[in-house]
Amino acid sequence: MAIKHEVFKNKISKDAYQFLVWLHSKALHEIEMSLFEQIKNIPEIKEVFPHALTDEDSQLKIKTLYLRYCHLIEHLIAEYQELESDEKQQMIDYYVFNNSLKELNFLGMGFYYDCKYKQTTATLYKGRSKQVNWKQKASDETRKNKVSTDAVKEMFKACRQHINTGGDIELKSYSKCFILDLFKYISLYEQPDGHFLADVYVKEKADINIIQVHDQTISIQKYILADYRLQNIEFAIDFSEPRNYDRDNFYRWYKSFMETEFKKESSETPSISEYKNFEEYFQYYFANNLNQSENRTQVSLMVSPVSDREVVLSGDLWETIDFETNENQRDACIHFSFTEEELFELIIAYFVTFLNMFNRNEEADLAQAFRNDVLAILDKLQEIINKNSETEVPNNTIGEIDITKKIDAIKHIVAVESTNKKVLGLLEMIDWDYEKKYWSDRNVDKFVFKKIYNKNAENIFVNVLKCVCIDAVRGKHFGI
């Protein structure tokens, strides 16, 4: 069998190198007892040991393992080339000897990840802040002294409770995709002073798949290899990228790692979820004149951390400051607050900016075509209103509204370029390359009214505009 491991000398740890030597020689070489203690716990080694010396089939499996681990180490050296030598060696040792997260799977001489919890960065977005209780829960007597894999499992249990809802764990969810967050979650909410505002939080280049121990930020794998207690730690874990973005791969990984399911019980779907576009939405709210007391703020579809591009945080890992045009600290989490009119501007400005930035057909003004299409749809909406003289806005907390005048005001916003400094400031922070990839993968084809989270009456026109914009661009202008 060809010798492949010699190229790794001085690039990987002594233990990892001796492990490859041991595999190459079909387990004939003696090895140090400390290394043997690591090797004997590797599931694939358990399968062939102690028959490796005499059993031909076992020796063939040993050869296969040798090639498999050589391929893996070659890949890991390239993947973690930015790390310092010691840290890189530690990461390789984790996957070779530990792999306790079980995200790494082997197939013949190859390997794959059902999930990949690699420390990296991403721009994160969320609407509406909330209180968390991680520190309180992590200080519980049953949790606080847990370390290593047991501590990480407690983190994942907390994330599962938070994502599935219904438990006693409250954390913070961010999305790596702005249009997803804008369409599904960014809405108007009543403030203590009675006004309705939309809050948006943006953190550029946030560290994800990390655990914060005191002032030190480390990878999940490095945490597993250390002896830090669960108490007094914070975390940011990305649940959005299983293999092929297939949630079944995520569920399969979670069950193998946690020995428990990661699913959300299906709740009874309210009738409103059957409405897919702005016309049906309009008829439901206006023509049927629904009562404001009906609870409509609920997610109609099963929550998926994969489709939501969800990153879960235990709490405040960064300083949060309000947006200021001249004094932004770009290493902080920036808080934006929008009125209804400003939220209209933000929705339109997002699509216009995207079209201008990624227009493949330079001869066509796609942004203007988009504006024209939105205006045409709103004109059609006004026709429906005029044909139904009895149509009224339901009684609600935002008072009496002249629907025709309201739509005229929205049309004015659609027709002009936004100069709002908050809107433009937020657009500058968006990771547009990630947005392009999200659109090019046709994810927005699945955007329907029932995926909007807040359907209360104060968001009637906001939600109408969201659906109108999606209808105007779907499959027509975003042919990326």
Side-chain angles (χ1 to χ4, degrees):
M1 183 167 57
I3 300 175
K4 298 177 67 70
H5 60 268
E6 288 184 349
V7 298
F8 302 137
K9 197 165 189 177
N10 299 323
K11 294 181 180 180
I12 61 178
S13 71
K14 177 184 174 182
D15 281 353
Y17 189 81
Q18 288 301 315
F19 175 51
L20 294 180
V21 171
W22 182 77
L23 287 174
H24 182 265
S25 61
K26 306 174 189 176
L28 289 175
H29 278 251
E30 292 184 2
I31 55 174
E32 295 178 7
M33 184 56 66
S34 60
L35 176 57
F36 176 73
E37 289 299 317
Q38 292 188 76
I39 291 174
K40 74 176 187 178
N41 291 319
I42 299 175
E44 290 80 13
I45 298 299
K46 283 182 178 180
E47 182 182 341
V48 297
F49 195 87
H51 307 292
L53 297 178
T54 58
D55 188 297
E56 289 186 5
D57 181 60
S58 294
Q59 290 189 23
L60 177 61
K61 289 178 180 178
I62 287 285
K63 291 179 181 180
T64 301
L65 291 177
Y66 172 77
L67 293 174
R68 173 191 294 174
Y69 279 105
C70 285
H71 293 159
L72 172 64
I73 290 171
E74 185 177 41
H75 167 80
L76 292 172
I77 288 174
E79 183 179 9
Y80 291 98
Q81 59 184 312
E82 78 283 358
L83 297 182
E84 296 295 329
S85 178
D86 289 348
E87 195 171 0
K88 185 190 304 180
Q89 290 181 13
Q90 187 180 42
M91 185 62 72
I92 292 170
D93 280 357
Y94 165 80
Y95 282 111
V96 171
F97 299 118
N98 192 299
N99 190 32
S100 60
L101 277 176
K102 296 187 179 179
E103 78 271 44
L104 175 66
N105 301 278
F106 292 107
L107 185 63
M109 289 182 289
F111 61 92
Y112 64 92
Y113 299 90
D114 269 335
C115 287
K116 180 67 170 172
Y117 289 99
K118 179 183 178 182
Q119 180 176 352
T120 184
T121 61
T123 298
L124 304 180
Y125 319 91
K126 79 178 280 77
R128 196 182 188 190
S129 186
K130 61 180 290 188
Q131 295 297 314
V132 299
N133 61 3
W134 167 250
K135 286 186 177 179
Q136 172 191 345
K137 297 298 181 181
S139 298
D140 184 272
E141 287 296 328
T142 63
R143 295 188 178 101
K144 68 179 184 179
N145 291 320
K146 290 191 174 182
V147 298
S148 190
T149 307
D150 289 336
V152 172
K153 285 187 176 184
E154 288 297 330
M155 298 176 211
F156 277 96
K157 285 179 184 177
C159 292
R160 181 190 63 180
Q161 278 198 38
H162 166 77
I163 293 170
N164 284 0
T165 70
D168 63 347
I169 301 289
E170 292 291 341
L171 305 173
K172 287 190 175 183
S173 289
Y174 285 76
S175 176
K176 296 192 294 184
C177 178
F178 183 71
I179 184 56
L180 189 154
D181 217 47
L182 179 65
F183 186 81
K184 291 182 69 171
Y185 297 113
I186 296 173
S187 298
L188 298 167
Y189 289 92
E190 187 172 9
Q191 307 298 307
D193 62 4
H195 291 89
F196 287 88
L197 297 172
D199 292 305
V200 183
Y201 296 82
V202 184
K203 176 65 177 80
E204 291 182 298
K205 298 179 181 178
D207 288 325
I208 59 176
N209 288 331
I210 55 94
I211 296 175
Q212 193 177 81
V213 184
H214 305 300
D215 295 329
Q216 184 184 15
T217 296
I218 60 177
S219 68
I220 299 174
Q221 293 83 3
K222 188 172 182 179
Y223 179 90
I224 287 174
L225 297 175
D227 292 318
Y228 298 115
R229 292 194 305 163
L230 184 66
Q231 190 178 25
N232 299 323
I233 67 97
E234 302 280 5
F235 61 80
I237 302 177
D238 182 6
F239 286 86
S240 70
E241 294 192 10
R243 183 164 50 93
N244 300 326
Y245 288 103
D246 186 340
R247 71 177 69 180
D248 287 340
N249 288 330
F250 173 75
Y251 294 146
R252 187 180 301 111
W253 162 80
Y254 188 87
K255 190 173 182 179
S256 69
F257 172 56
M258 297 290 296
E259 293 88 37
T260 55
E261 298 285 344
F262 193 113
K263 292 183 179 179
K264 184 179 188 300
E265 294 294 329
S266 297
S267 58
E268 184 178 352
T269 304
S271 59
I272 193 170
S273 70
E274 300 303 318
Y275 295 87
K276 298 179 180 180
N277 56 41
F278 82 96
E279 288 184 60
E280 292 179 334
Y281 175 59
F282 171 79
Q283 295 292 340
Y284 184 77
Y285 268 111
F286 296 102
N288 296 331
N289 197 19
L290 290 179
N291 191 313
Q292 169 62 17
S293 64
E294 181 181 340
N295 180 14
R296 295 190 295 274
T297 304
Q298 51 189 305
V299 178
S300 305
L301 297 182
M302 186 178 79
V303 176
S304 167
V306 179
S307 61
D308 275 356
R309 297 297 191 266
E310 187 168 6
V311 177
V312 178
L313 274 66
S314 57
D316 298 318
L317 276 70
W318 326 287
E319 177 189 11
T320 299
I321 63 173
D322 291 330
F323 173 79
E324 295 290 343
T325 55
N326 298 322
E327 299 180 1
N328 270 337
Q329 299 177 27
R330 299 300 283 266
D331 58 342
C333 181
I334 308 299
H335 168 232
F336 298 83
S337 184
F338 297 102
T339 64
E340 181 187 51
E341 182 176 318
E342 289 172 331
L343 187 51
F344 291 151
E345 287 187 58
L346 177 61
I347 293 168
I348 296 298
Y350 170 87
F351 290 100
V352 169
T353 303
F354 189 101
L355 285 163
N356 285 332
M357 193 171 294
F358 298 107
N359 184 0
R360 292 191 310 173
N361 183 3
E362 295 181 0
E363 296 181 1
D365 189 345
L366 295 187
Q368 187 56 51
F370 162 74
R371 292 183 195 273
N372 293 340
D373 283 351
V374 171
L375 291 170
I377 296 172
L378 292 174
D379 285 339
K380 185 177 180 181
L381 194 56
Q382 284 183 310
E383 288 179 16
I384 297 173
I385 295 169
N386 293 334
K387 289 179 181 178
N388 187 352
S389 59
E390 296 181 357
T391 298
E392 297 177 358
V393 176
N395 295 327
N396 59 73
T397 52
I398 54 178
E400 295 295 325
I401 294 175
D402 185 315
I403 302 175
T404 300
K405 287 184 178 180
K406 189 74 173 183
I407 294 177
D408 280 337
I410 296 174
K411 286 163 67 176
H412 176 73
I413 291 171
V414 173
V416 301
E417 202 76 32
S418 176
T419 58
N420 186 295
K421 292 183 178 180
K422 282 191 294 184
V423 170
L424 299 179
L426 194 158
L427 294 175
E428 286 182 2
M429 298 183 72
I430 291 175
D431 181 349
W432 290 104
D433 288 334
Y434 193 93
E435 298 296 302
K436 181 181 180 182
K437 183 179 185 307
Y438 187 84
W439 278 95
S440 63
D441 290 342
R442 311 298 301 184
N443 289 293
V444 289
D445 288 349
K446 303 169 187 173
F447 277 17
V448 292
F449 169 71
K450 58 185 175 181
K451 288 194 174 183
I452 296 176
Y453 183 83
N454 192 336
K455 303 181 181 72
N456 281 337
E458 59 266 20
N459 284 293
I460 287 175
F461 295 101
V462 171
N463 292 348
V464 165
L465 185 59
K466 289 178 181 180
C467 292
V468 167
C469 288
I470 291 296
D471 279 0
V473 300
R474 191 180 351 244
K476 186 172 182 181
H477 298 306
F478 284 118
I480 299 171

